[in-house]
Amino acid sequence: MKITHYLYNAFIITSENKKIAIDPGGLFFYFFRFTTLIPKSEWESITHIFVTHGDPDHHWHTDRVAEASHAPIICNETMIRTINGKILMLGPRDKGLAFTTEVNNFRTLTVDETIELDGMSITGIKTTHGSLKLKFGLFSKTLHPGPEERIGWGSIGFQIIVDGKKIVNLGDTLLQEKEWQKIHEPDVLMIPIGGKMIHNTMDEQEALQAISIIKPKLVIPCHYNCPAFFTQKYNRADDKMFKEEVEKMGIKCVILRMGDSLELNNDE
């Protein structure tokens, strides 16, 4: 099994006959570029698309990857609505809660629900997106997740059991101490750590607390030090310190930069 990271929460997991894309979002505002995190050269060969929520850095290219690959989209049931007889997904590039994108190949689930799909067992995990403060010079605005707000819409994490490996991806989330006690020793945990300055996700210390609860075999930190909003390091975090603290627990931690991969052997 190979896991490749593309910043934010964008990953590709390749294993046997599957090529799973997680959060095929967009890279925004850095030198005014609106580009894909997962390279277009990978799109056609994707077999399954997982979307943790509807924010642009996670969802911007979901429909385009689905069109190129004909892969099913797996997401929270709140990401899909039936309107006037049409099955519509939250529009990846629309403003607000606009359900405009027709979909016909998808599977939805809820928190704690388990579905079986193409030899995979997929369980929804409770996650909660934090508020996001946007600052442009003297102007600032805080976006709060809520019943009528786009930010964090459809938030859910995934436990994916595929080819004998248990992979957990938490998307963008604050710490959920009680709920995550249900997660038991996954082979891989992908966890956000960049919420110190802008508390839209866990920071390093909260992520360490989550790790002490979940007890994974391997940790991959994500959603930190990413280019966005005219800076090269948005959602800042100290990954060196984080890695050292994880390894003090006797748990392996691997830091993946843009496009970096790691291989998992059967005995890992």
Side-chain angles (χ1 to χ4, degrees):
M1 178 179 290
K2 183 170 79 169
I3 298 174
T4 306
H5 185 36
Y6 293 102
L7 299 184
Y8 291 92
N9 191 50
F11 289 90
I12 286 182
I13 303 169
T14 305
S15 183
E16 295 187 6
N17 63 344
K18 295 179 179 64
K19 190 172 184 178
I20 297 166
I22 299 177
D23 283 356
L27 177 63
F28 289 89
F29 299 122
Y30 185 49
F31 297 133
F32 297 95
R33 292 193 303 162
F34 293 77
T35 188
T36 178
L37 291 168
I38 295 176
K40 289 184 179 179
S41 59
E42 304 283 356
W43 288 8
E44 287 188 8
S45 55
I46 297 298
T47 62
H48 301 83
I49 304 164
F50 286 76
V51 180
T52 63
H53 63 290
D55 286 359
D57 52 326
H58 299 256
H59 182 47
W60 188 262
H61 292 289
T62 298
D63 58 330
R64 293 168 173 167
V65 176
E67 182 179 5
S69 64
H70 307 290
I73 299 167
I74 301 97
C75 59
N76 194 325
E77 65 175 10
T78 59
M79 291 285 288
I80 306 287
R81 288 182 181 176
T82 300
I83 301 175
N84 297 327
K86 294 183 178 180
I87 301 175
L88 302 174
M89 179 177 65
L90 181 68
R93 293 167 297 281
D94 289 322
K95 294 182 179 180
L97 291 178
F99 289 79
T100 57
T101 304
E102 288 195 53
V103 288
N104 53 34
N105 190 8
F106 64 93
R107 289 290 301 272
T108 62
L109 75 168
T110 58
V111 171
D112 293 333
E113 179 183 6
T114 299
I115 62 173
E116 305 295 326
L117 178 64
D118 299 333
M120 295 183 290
S121 179
I122 305 162
T123 302
I125 296 172
K126 171 71 174 180
T127 60
T128 302
H129 198 290
S131 299
L132 178 63
K133 185 175 183 179
L134 305 178
K135 189 173 183 179
F136 303 94
L138 298 176
F139 172 79
S140 66
K141 181 179 181 180
T142 301
L143 305 176
H144 301 280
E148 303 299 327
E149 298 297 330
R150 171 71 179 245
I151 181 173
W153 186 265
S155 183
I156 196 169
F158 298 104
Q159 175 180 280
I160 308 165
I161 300 177
V162 53
D163 297 332
K165 298 293 184 184
K166 184 190 295 185
I167 312 294
V168 169
N169 184 289
L170 296 175
D172 287 2
T173 183
L174 304 176
L175 181 62
Q176 310 288 316
E177 294 181 71
K178 181 178 178 181
E179 289 83 357
W180 294 348
Q181 291 175 10
K182 303 172 186 176
I183 308 171
H184 299 293
E185 300 182 354
D187 294 286
V188 179
L189 172 64
M190 302 162 175
I191 189 167
I193 67 169
K196 180 178 290 185
M197 297 178 65
I198 300 172
H199 203 220
N200 55 330
T201 75
M202 291 177 283
D203 61 20
E204 302 102 310
Q205 295 302 323
E206 291 164 325
L208 290 169
Q209 191 173 344
I211 290 165
S212 71
I213 296 168
I214 297 171
K215 296 179 173 61
K217 297 177 183 177
L218 168 68
V219 173
I220 303 174
C222 59
H223 210 278
Y224 71 98
N225 294 353
C226 298
F229 302 112
F230 311 106
T231 177
Q232 294 187 37
K233 288 190 176 182
Y234 196 71
N235 285 116
R236 290 178 180 268
D238 185 343
D239 54 11
K240 181 180 179 182
M241 177 276 292
F242 178 78
K243 176 180 169 68
E244 290 173 352
E245 292 300 315
V246 171
E247 291 177 344
K248 286 179 184 178
M249 301 183 196
I251 296 170
K252 186 177 180 180
C253 181
V254 176
I255 295 171
L256 297 179
R257 309 299 182 191
M258 177 69 172
D260 284 352
S261 299
L262 66 84
E263 298 275 352
L264 290 180
N265 299 321
N266 291 335
D267 57 350
E268 291 183 311

